Amino acid sequence: MSDRAMPPSESLTGELVVRNGPDRGVSRSLLVPVTLIGSNENCDLRILDILVRSVHCVISITPDGPHLRSVGGTPLVNGIPTSSRLLHTGDLMTVGPLELEVHWRLPPGPAPNSSAIVPRPKLASFGGNDSPGRSDPARRSACRQAG
C-alpha cells in the first residue's frame, strides 16, 4: 500500500485507517475530491493483491460526506457487498485482503437552530413627515447627547 503524504498544516475532514496486515495503523487522508483505490500505480491508495482490480473503487467527497462507488471490483462495507453508498464514521470497508476504517468529520457549520441569514436592521425612512430628529425617541436622545 502506498500513501501520498499530505502537509500537516491542512485540517483533515476524513481518512481511511488500515485495520489489518503489515500496514495496520497507516492512514490515507480524504482531502481530495476523488480517491482512487486499486492495484494500479496511479491509484491514490494502492493495494498490491491478486484480488484487487486495477481500479477497484472510488471515494468521492460530496456535500453529504464520502461516497463509495465500485468501479472494477466489489468492495464490502460492514461485511455487505456494495456498488454505491454513502460512508459514515466507523464503517469498515474491505478491499481485497485489506480492512479500512472510515473516519469522517463534517466541517463546522452553523449551530443548531441558528439562522444562516442575519437580519439587517431597518433603515430609518426620512420621507413624508419623518425627519432625522423626530424618527425615534432613542435616536432623538442620542442626537441631543452627541450635540
Side-chain angles (χ1 to χ4, degrees):
M1 185 179 106
S2 69
D3 188 1
R4 294 181 187 164
M6 299 304 289
S9 62
E10 295 186 40
S11 63
L12 296 177
T13 55
E15 63 185 350
L16 298 174
V17 179
V18 178
R19 302 291 296 171
N20 64 339
D23 290 323
R24 183 180 180 155
V26 172
S27 66
R28 168 64 172 106
S29 300
L30 295 173
L31 292 174
V32 293
V34 176
T35 299
L36 300 176
I37 300 172
S39 60
N40 189 293
E41 65 184 34
N42 293 323
C43 286
D44 300 299
L45 186 96
R46 190 172 183 203
I47 304 170
L48 299 175
D49 188 90
I50 195 165
L51 298 174
V52 179
R53 303 282 181 132
S54 179
V55 179
H56 200 85
C57 55
V58 174
I59 297 177
S60 303
I61 303 304
T62 71
D64 296 323
H67 186 267
L68 172 69
R69 185 172 45 94
S70 67
V71 178
T74 304
L76 304 176
V77 177
N78 302 323
I80 301 169
T82 186
S83 60
S84 179
R85 78 167 270 175
L86 192 62
L87 297 171
H88 303 283
T89 293
D91 282 347
L92 284 178
M93 269 179 54
T94 305
V95 179
L98 204 62
E99 287 184 358
L100 304 163
E101 185 174 347
V102 177
H103 292 256
W104 182 254
R105 291 180 298 278
L106 291 174
N113 298 327
S114 70
S115 173
I117 300 173
V118 178
R120 297 179 82 188
K122 285 187 173 182
L123 297 175
S125 167
F126 297 114
N129 294 333
D130 290 340
S131 67
R134 296 185 196 157
S135 62
D136 177 14
R139 186 177 186 139
R140 283 193 306 250
S141 175
C143 289
R144 283 188 206 128
Q145 290 175 358

